[in-house]
Every structure is written in structure tokens, then in C-alpha cells.
Amino acid sequence: MYDEQQRPDNGPLAGFTVGVTAARRADELGALLQRRGASVVHAPALRIVQLADDSELLAATKEVIDQAPDIVVATTAIGFRGWVEAADGWGLGEDLLARLRGVELLARGPKVKGAVRAAGLTEEWSPSSESMAEVLDRLLEEGVDGRRIAVQLHGEPLPGFVESLRAGGAEVLGVPVYRWMPPEDIGPVDRLLDATVSRGLDALTFTSAPAAASLLSRAEDRGLLPELLAALHHDVLPACVGPVTALPLQARGVDTVSPERFRLGPLVQLLCQELPGRARTLPIAGHRVEIRGHAVLVDGELKPVPPAGMSLLRTLARRPGWVVARSDLLRALPGAGRDEHAVETAMARLRTALGAPKLIQTVVKRGYRLALDPAASDAKYSDE
């Protein structure tokens, strides 16, 4: 899906692997990541199924036209456009637009506002945060008792939102425009899960709450949920486009990062800051060595390293300058068995990949060590 040849070697994400779970705009997000040097693994966790022929949407549309709501909440641009297009297909487009011109129309964020205006309508209000919580706060402050509110659902129920409105005395009509469904081919999702659990990824991106919930559900079905949560807790950075997207992960106790502006560009810029900040930088044998996800920067030059070599290097870097026994290094090698010659073979390949053999010293009959510069202390460099 993504052309590895286009990945620059000197970008801020060079040497890192990022997972993409998006169904929509995945190509755009993948291209943004690759232009900054990342390797990208894509597996859409969901697919969007339009409901143009769905009886629920037709019934809700007729109800809005026949019994005017006091307020209509548009939650997504694609959903609002889909609603108008479906109404057009049923010959109800003009009636729906005429009804929407006479109600208090709230748009959740700039993209939804753009879809509303493209339909020839004008929203009464839109939050700058794109947060449904802010929409809810405004409605409850205004008072919803006895008011009729139509809410364009975005692929899944809005837990808490609808219940809060009803608890405040509102009559709520859900307008289901599309649904999220599992992908037709689950293979890529399983491979993405396996890569996450094995720490083959450095970050995993989410652009919708349903995608996050779907990935967690698939992990649970496969018996991998504890391993997935452990990876996201400690080694794989979960990056969400916004706080709403993060909710399913946070419900499982996973801390996430999100940009201040809930857009793909700022999400990528956030990764450009976070991932290099998590890399280990050490002064070794007169060189500046930065250990990244699947590659190493030696004096700023990217050196791709095989997975076995990265496992050895990370093990040595846990205690830079200290001798690590071959037996300990063997345990770090994936699937190496009990033959310590596997360590020697992997070490030779690692030295070749680094292009500076003196970075790693052989200590006869004991093991290997990083040739940490004498003036350097672990405390000084471990958190760079």
C-alpha cells in the first residue's frame, strides 16, 4: 500500500514503524508519515457501510420532516452529507433541507460546519474543540426539558450523550446515517495486532473511537487483550487524533497522546516530537548513537538493522558499558534456541549494519559490551 522507496532516511520519523488503523483517509495519513521517514503498517480496523437503503434512516428522515425537531445536531461531515444524499435519493431532499432551515442546527466542529454550509444551510453554533461533551454542555445549559432533539449518529451509539439529554427531559431522535462494520478481510488487522504485541511497532495511530474499540475487541477475541494492553502501556505509543477517539483505550486504562488540534497533520507532528524523544542516545566509541525502533542513527546517519540485531543492541543498551553474557543475549534473540553461535552470527551482522565495528566490544569468555565513552555516564545520556 505504501511505497517504501519514498521514505526519506533523514526525516524525524526515520527508523520508526507506525501502525495506521484508519479506514478513511488512510492514504493521506500514511503519506504524511512516510514523508517524515516512518515505515507504515496499515490495517483498517473497520469499514464504513452506508445506509442509503436502510429503513431506519428513511423512517428518521420522514419523522424529522413530518414533526419538526427544535434542535438538530450534526456530528460528522461524511454522515451529514450522506443523510442529505440519501434523502435526495428518496425524493425527500428539498423537504429535509427546508425543515433544517427552520431549526436550531448545531455542527460538531469545522468539518461538519463545512458540510452544513455546502448544503446551503447555516449552523447556529459550532464548538472549537470538536467535542461532543462541549455540545452537550451547551444544550444542558440552555435547557432541554420538553425539547425535541435529532442527533445524527456517527456509526455507533453516543453513550452518555443521548442518555444525558433524555435525563434532562428531552425527546431524542437518532438519525443513523452509516454504520461501522468489521473489515471484510480480518487478516491485516491480525497482522497489525501481532506486530503490536511483538513490539514491531513504535506507535499505533487511531482516528476514530470505533476503530480503537474494534481493535480491542479483536484482540479480546484472539485472547491477546492483556498482551496488547501491556504493549500499549509500555512500548508502543498509542496516538489518537483527539480525546473522543481515545475513550475506548482510556476505558481500558491506556494513556494516550493527542494533538491540540484534532487533525491528521498535527497528529503526525506530535509523533515527530514524541518518538525521537523516546529513543535512546549514547556516546559510544567517539560516535553519537541513537537507538530507534528498527534502525540506528550513527552520527546522524540512518543505519537499518535486522530485528535480531536490534534485540541485541537494546539488550546491551540497558546497561551501557557493562558486559552482557552470551547467555543473556541469546535469551533476547527471538526464536534462537539454545545455540550461542546464533549470538555470534547476529552480532556480526549487527556490526556490519552499524558500519562502525568498534561500537561493540568482545570481552573474551564473558560476552559483549558497548564501548561507552569514558567521560559519559549512563545517567547523563539515558533520557536524551
Side-chain angles (χ1 to χ4, degrees):
M1 180 172 184
Y2 300 107
D3 184 357
E4 293 287 331
Q5 300 301 316
Q6 294 179 356
R7 193 175 71 246
D9 287 342
N10 57 350
L13 296 179
F16 294 111
T17 303
V18 179
V20 172
T21 62
R24 295 177 53 242
R25 302 181 69 192
D27 286 340
E28 180 183 350
L29 178 55
L32 287 170
L33 290 165
Q34 281 197 327
R35 281 202 291 271
R36 287 154 181 83
S39 291
V40 176
V41 178
H42 175 231
L46 293 169
R47 59 191 169 100
I48 296 172
V49 179
Q50 300 288 348
L51 300 183
D53 298 324
D54 193 277
S55 58
E56 290 179 59
L57 178 58
L58 176 58
T61 303
K62 287 181 176 178
E63 190 170 343
V64 167
I65 293 170
D66 294 342
Q67 302 177 50
D70 300 293
I71 301 167
V72 173
V73 181
T75 60
T76 64
I78 184 176
F80 189 79
R81 286 195 298 268
W83 186 16
V84 174
E85 288 167 6
D88 277 337
W90 294 318
L92 299 173
E94 287 304 319
D95 291 340
L96 176 62
L97 292 176
R99 178 61 76 199
L100 294 178
R101 287 189 186 97
V103 305
E104 180 181 339
L105 183 56
L106 307 184
R108 183 191 67 93
K111 285 190 290 186
V112 192
K113 186 194 301 185
V116 166
R117 294 186 179 182
L121 304 170
T122 304
E123 77 290 344
E124 183 156 323
W125 177 80
S126 178
S128 57
S129 67
E130 301 185 54
S131 166
M132 289 299 288
E134 193 173 341
V135 176
L136 180 61
D137 288 344
R138 176 185 170 94
L139 288 170
L140 294 179
E141 285 171 10
E142 287 182 347
V144 296
D145 189 22
R147 305 187 82 187
R148 202 157 176 273
I149 303 174
V151 181
Q152 174 243 310
L153 304 176
H154 57 277
E156 61 170 354
L158 297 169
F161 186 86
V162 171
E163 288 82 351
S164 296
L165 291 177
R166 286 180 174 147
E171 178 190 349
V172 181
L173 168 66
V175 182
V177 183
Y178 58 86
R179 287 200 179 100
W180 296 103
M181 300 288 286
E184 292 180 347
D185 181 5
I186 203 69
V189 174
D190 284 344
R191 289 191 289 274
L192 184 69
L193 277 172
D194 292 339
T196 306
V197 168
S198 66
R199 276 63 169 179
L201 302 180
D202 300 293
L204 189 57
T205 62
F206 298 93
T207 57
S208 74
S214 177
L215 194 72
L216 291 167
S217 175
R218 180 58 183 168
E220 194 163 23
D221 291 344
R222 292 184 59 199
L224 289 175
L225 185 59
E227 291 91 335
L228 175 64
L229 296 178
L232 296 176
H233 274 302
H234 301 295
D235 301 300
V236 180
L237 177 68
C240 299
V241 76
V244 173
T245 297
L247 289 176
L249 294 163
Q250 291 175 349
R252 297 281 189 170
V254 176
D255 292 329
T256 64
V257 296
S258 299
E260 291 185 8
R261 292 181 61 247
F262 311 143
R263 294 284 185 275
L264 296 186
L267 176 63
V268 172
Q269 289 303 317
L270 179 65
L271 289 174
C272 290
Q273 297 166 11
E274 291 282 341
L275 289 181
R278 293 158 67 99
R280 187 75 180 276
T281 302
L282 297 165
I284 305 173
H287 299 277
R288 185 180 188 273
V289 177
E290 183 177 331
I291 302 170
R292 295 192 166 190
H294 60 264
V296 179
L297 289 178
V298 179
D299 298 328
E301 184 178 350
L302 188 71
K303 305 286 187 178
V305 175
M310 289 303 303
S311 297
L312 293 182
L313 187 57
R314 287 197 190 94
T315 303
L316 292 170
R318 288 195 188 105
R319 300 186 74 189
W322 291 66
V323 178
V324 181
R326 283 182 174 81
S327 58
D328 292 335
L329 292 169
L330 182 63
R331 281 194 290 272
L333 283 178
R338 290 184 287 180
D339 186 358
E340 290 190 0
H341 288 298
V343 174
E344 296 175 10
T345 301
M347 190 63 71
R349 290 174 179 164
L350 171 59
R351 283 170 164 157
T352 300
L354 294 175
K358 293 182 179 180
L359 294 176
I360 303 171
Q361 295 176 337
T362 301
V363 182
V364 179
K365 296 184 179 180
R366 292 182 60 199
Y368 300 89
R369 64 183 288 272
L370 293 180
L372 195 68
D373 289 346
S377 69
D378 189 29
K380 179 178 179 182
Y381 289 95
S382 61
D383 296 322
E384 272 198 16

